[in-house]
Amino acid sequence: MALHRGRGFASINYPIGMNLGGDPSQALVHSNPGGKFMVALSSIDLGQGMKSVTRQIAAETLGVPVEDVYVDTADSDTGPHCMGSFASRGTHRVGNAVIQAALEARSVMLEAAAEELEVDPADLVTDGKGNIHVKGAPSKSITTAEACGAAQFKQGRTVSGRGIFLIPLSEVDPETGEMTPVSCFAHAALIVDVDVDDETGEIDVVQMNSAYELGRALNPRLVEQQLIGGAWMGMSHAAWETTEPYYPERSHGPLDFNEYLMPGPGDIAPHDIAILERPAPDGPFGGKGPGEMCANPVLPAMVNAVFNAVGVRIDELPITPEKILRGIRANGGARPPARRN
Amino acid sequence: MAKKPVRFHLNGSEKAVFVEDGQNLLDMLRRGIGDLTPKYGCGQGTCGTCTVLIDGEPHLSCLTLAETVEGRQLTTTAGLASGNRLHALQAAFMEGFAAQCGYCTPGMLMAAKALLDRNPNPSRQEVVEAISGNICRCTGYEPIINAILEAAKSGDARHYG
């Protein structure tokens, strides 16, 4: 019995969102008379941080503190239309819609403030702390709450805005077959080190190292957390999870968490992540979206690492101990490929 | 169906409720008392999100008969904070981004509290073992392990909650 160390590499070029008939998302923003803002969305926060990121985007665009923004999601009866939280599209599509809606609401808020201060709205700026003042003259000032209250009770304005971001349907050119299904790509590279036991066929993931290019990381801690969690999911897809272990034969399919395998807290590996920021021209504040790509490169990298360790090329996931042992037997033993130095 | 009176302490307050034959503790807490902090995940004791403390020990409330808590001291996540002051574990989970969708979080917090109450300075391996009955689908466990170690380091995990 021996443990064989192997290293696998994979890189990914990941499209943000999809375009099957056009890909829109909407946002509606309004203030209450106390100057707090509501962002209404139908987009869903699955735990990836949609509410936090859209809240930041709205606050930044409106020019108000993030504490003054509330994001209401996930009631498609009352919220404006959204295609959904999938295809890593949330930050990019919904974020852009929120910017448009927040810009419109901001312009009304500044008009209301201008009327109260008897100045031109074009001369007004926000300080991000709840104040609006004349550029270069901070003493000529009104709070965002006072401006929104005046709009409501004195001026008869709604401080509100509508936003939509649409990637229109891209037709296929009949001559060339060319089309533009996506406008924005994110990129990553990941290296995984594994130990493969040639007696039991078990894999121990030892270390992961990755670099992700995600446009601007709008909330760096959330991004890092999403990448760590996503890599676990990728690891789990690669070597643990399946509903059909002997597909198309239905036998031995798991029926509950006793049988459906996933790596537990004792199976995880240290993961060092480098986040590279190259703001996307059409992204909200340059953001793209980590989404699904945080899991994707782990799968091919682990398959490559197993090949590098014992010379067994797995072509059907998950990489079970049984497949590794059958592969080792077929090769007449663990036969790692010759290493290039 | 016969109903039986059960008295116990929940997060320090005395409670008395009628439970049905065969009713499990999770159902009694959520439906009978209205404490929604323990979550229903799998209903068969494999996911851990329904974990509550009975006399300080972690138990899977979905597998515990409600009538067996007569006279016992129960703690749920609702009892962790004192007033608006968060328990050290809650603060560490928040600071360390140890929740994504949040569904496993109450069970993780209770498993972690049971650990820190009996072992205020656990090793990483002891933390891993303490939460090994709790499934998390989002975080990859790393931030949860780190948050529990941080809470232990802050040293006041035992002072309140």
Side-chain angles (χ1 to χ4, degrees):
Chain A
M1 174 232 160
L3 287 178
H4 302 267
R5 176 68 55 93
R7 170 168 285 186
F9 174 79
S11 55
I12 180 169
N13 186 29
Y14 191 77
I16 303 301
M18 58 190 293
N19 185 1
L20 303 172
D23 189 9
S25 278
Q26 294 187 29
L28 295 173
V29 171
H30 73 271
S31 87
N32 68 23
K36 308 285 185 192
F37 283 84
M38 164 72 79
V39 180
L41 304 170
S42 293
S43 322
I44 304 204
D45 193 329
L46 305 162
Q48 81 279 47
M50 169 80 92
K51 283 177 106 164
S52 303
V53 167
T54 49
R55 189 182 188 201
Q56 288 175 252
I57 290 171
E60 184 75 20
T61 309
L62 288 161
V64 303
V66 77
E67 295 78 15
D68 285 358
V69 177
Y70 182 81
V71 178
D72 184 30
T73 59
D75 187 342
S76 55
D77 279 346
T78 55
H81 174 258
C82 176
M83 289 294 279
S85 296
F86 60 89
S88 312
R89 64 188 291 288
T91 298
H92 189 265
R93 304 295 199 264
V94 183
N96 274 320
V98 168
I99 288 178
Q100 191 183 54
L103 280 175
E104 189 175 314
R106 174 187 165 87
S107 75
V108 184
M109 177 176 76
L110 294 184
E111 282 168 24
E115 196 169 316
E116 294 306 300
L117 295 171
E118 298 180 5
V119 297
D120 185 333
D123 293 336
L124 291 175
V125 291
T126 46
D127 68 356
K129 296 172 186 159
N131 302 298
I132 303 166
H133 62 81
V134 175
K135 200 184 298 177
S139 59
K140 190 87 172 160
S141 172
I142 184 172
T143 65
T144 52
E146 287 164 347
C148 292
Q152 175 87 356
F153 292 109
K154 287 170 66 180
Q155 304 170 10
R157 296 175 197 266
T158 61
V159 179
S160 63
R162 302 154 296 164
I164 183 165
F165 186 71
L166 168 67
I167 297 286
L169 172 66
S170 169
E171 302 287 356
V172 180
D173 186 313
E175 298 296 320
T176 63
E178 193 179 340
M179 67 181 296
T180 310
V182 287
S183 64
C184 182
F185 283 84
H187 311 87
L190 183 136
I191 296 170
V192 60
D193 294 330
V194 302
D195 280 340
V196 180
D197 185 322
D198 66 12
E199 187 176 43
T200 65
E202 285 173 337
I203 305 174
D204 185 19
V205 180
V206 178
Q207 171 83 39
M208 284 197 244
N209 290 286
S210 64
Y212 279 82
E213 186 281 295
L214 300 155
R216 177 169 286 150
L218 299 180
N219 186 322
R221 292 290 304 276
L222 267 183
V223 167
E224 191 183 331
Q225 168 45 34
Q226 196 172 357
L227 294 173
I228 288 174
W232 174 89
M233 291 183 211
M235 192 176 136
S236 190
H237 288 308
W240 277 264
E241 292 180 45
T242 179
T243 55
E244 306 279 353
Y246 295 100
Y247 185 81
E249 162 82 42
R250 303 300 304 274
S251 62
H252 299 283
L255 299 172
D256 56 38
F257 287 138
N258 283 313
E259 300 165 342
Y260 188 80
L261 301 181
M262 290 178 273
D267 298 315
I268 59 176
H271 184 179
D272 290 328
I273 299 170
I275 293 171
L276 312 176
E277 295 192 291
R278 281 176 46 205
D282 70 345
F285 299 102
K288 296 176 181 174
E292 295 171 25
M293 72 180 295
C294 51
N296 296 346
V298 184
L299 285 75
M302 276 183 60
V303 168
N304 288 337
V306 168
F307 181 71
N308 186 242
V310 292
V312 174
R313 176 57 76 188
I314 302 288
D315 56 10
E316 273 183 38
L317 294 172
I319 312 165
T320 58
E322 179 180 343
K323 288 175 191 166
I324 290 176
L325 289 179
R326 286 184 191 282
I328 288 174
R329 188 183 297 171
N331 290 349
R335 301 259 186 274
R339 294 174 199 233
R340 282 176 290 176
N341 291 316
Chain B
M1 189 179 280
K3 292 201 173 186
K4 189 173 181 179
V6 176
R7 287 193 307 171
F8 57 97
H9 283 83
L10 176 63
N11 301 323
S13 306
E14 203 172 345
K15 300 282 176 192
V17 292
F18 285 99
V19 301
E20 293 161 14
D21 278 347
Q23 188 177 13
N24 68 50
L25 177 59
L26 176 64
D27 189 58
M28 183 260 268
L29 288 171
R30 289 181 61 86
R31 221 156 44 90
I33 303 223
D35 182 348
L36 300 179
T37 56
K39 302 297 180 201
Y40 180 94
C42 63
Q44 56 180 191
T46 50
C47 77
T49 193
C50 69
T51 303
V52 301
L53 305 189
I54 302 175
D55 293 338
E57 288 295 318
H59 284 261
L60 297 161
S61 62
C62 77
L63 294 186
T64 304
L65 283 173
E67 60 190 77
T68 63
V69 301
E70 172 71 34
R72 317 283 290 272
Q73 302 281 338
L74 268 62
T75 311
T76 65
T77 309
L80 281 182
S82 85
N84 55 11
R85 190 168 175 219
L86 293 180
H87 188 279
L89 279 165
Q90 292 172 303
F93 269 57
M94 203 170 75
E95 289 296 319
F97 285 66
Q100 281 193 36
C101 86
Y103 207 81
C104 74
T105 309
M108 291 287 182
L109 286 169
M110 298 325 288
K113 177 169 163 51
L115 170 70
L116 297 190
D117 283 350
R118 68 169 189 275
N119 178 3
N121 294 301
S123 66
R124 185 184 164 91
Q125 186 54 36
E126 285 167 334
V127 171
V128 165
E129 281 162 19
I131 62 165
S132 62
N134 297 67
I135 294 175
C136 171
R137 200 70 180 120
C138 308
T139 64
Y141 296 100
E142 183 75 23
I144 294 174
I145 297 167
N146 292 339
I148 297 169
L149 290 169
E150 276 302 310
K153 214 190 295 174
S154 78
D156 55 356
R158 287 164 65 97
H159 291 184
Y160 42 88

Short mmCIF file of all heavy atoms in Angstrom, two decimals, chain A residues 7 150 298 309 334:
data_model
loop_
_atom_site.label_atom_id
_atom_site.label_comp_id
_atom_site.label_asym_id
_atom_site.label_seq_id
_atom_site.Cartn_x
_atom_site.Cartn_y
_atom_site.Cartn_z
N ARG A 7 -0.84 16.21 -8.69
CA ARG A 7 -1.26 17.61 -8.83
C ARG A 7 -2.04 17.76 -10.12
O ARG A 7 -1.64 17.25 -11.17
CB ARG A 7 -0.04 18.51 -8.83
CG ARG A 7 -0.33 19.95 -9.21
CD ARG A 7 0.83 20.86 -8.93
NE ARG A 7 0.94 21.13 -7.49
CZ ARG A 7 1.80 22.00 -6.96
NH1 ARG A 7 2.65 22.64 -7.73
NH2 ARG A 7 1.83 22.20 -5.65
N ALA A 150 -39.48 66.46 2.32
CA ALA A 150 -40.02 67.61 1.60
C ALA A 150 -40.67 67.17 0.29
O ALA A 150 -41.73 67.67 -0.11
CB ALA A 150 -38.91 68.62 1.33
N VAL A 298 -12.74 22.94 -10.21
CA VAL A 298 -12.26 21.92 -9.26
C VAL A 298 -12.42 20.52 -9.85
O VAL A 298 -11.58 19.65 -9.62
CB VAL A 298 -13.04 22.03 -7.93
CG1 VAL A 298 -12.48 21.05 -6.91
CG2 VAL A 298 -12.99 23.46 -7.38
N ALA A 309 -1.41 11.32 -10.15
CA ALA A 309 -0.98 10.54 -8.97
C ALA A 309 -0.79 9.06 -9.30
O ALA A 309 0.21 8.45 -8.92
CB ALA A 309 -2.01 10.69 -7.84
N ALA A 334 -0.35 1.05 -9.89
CA ALA A 334 -0.33 2.51 -9.98
C ALA A 334 0.79 2.92 -10.91
O ALA A 334 1.96 2.57 -10.69
CB ALA A 334 -0.13 3.12 -8.59
#
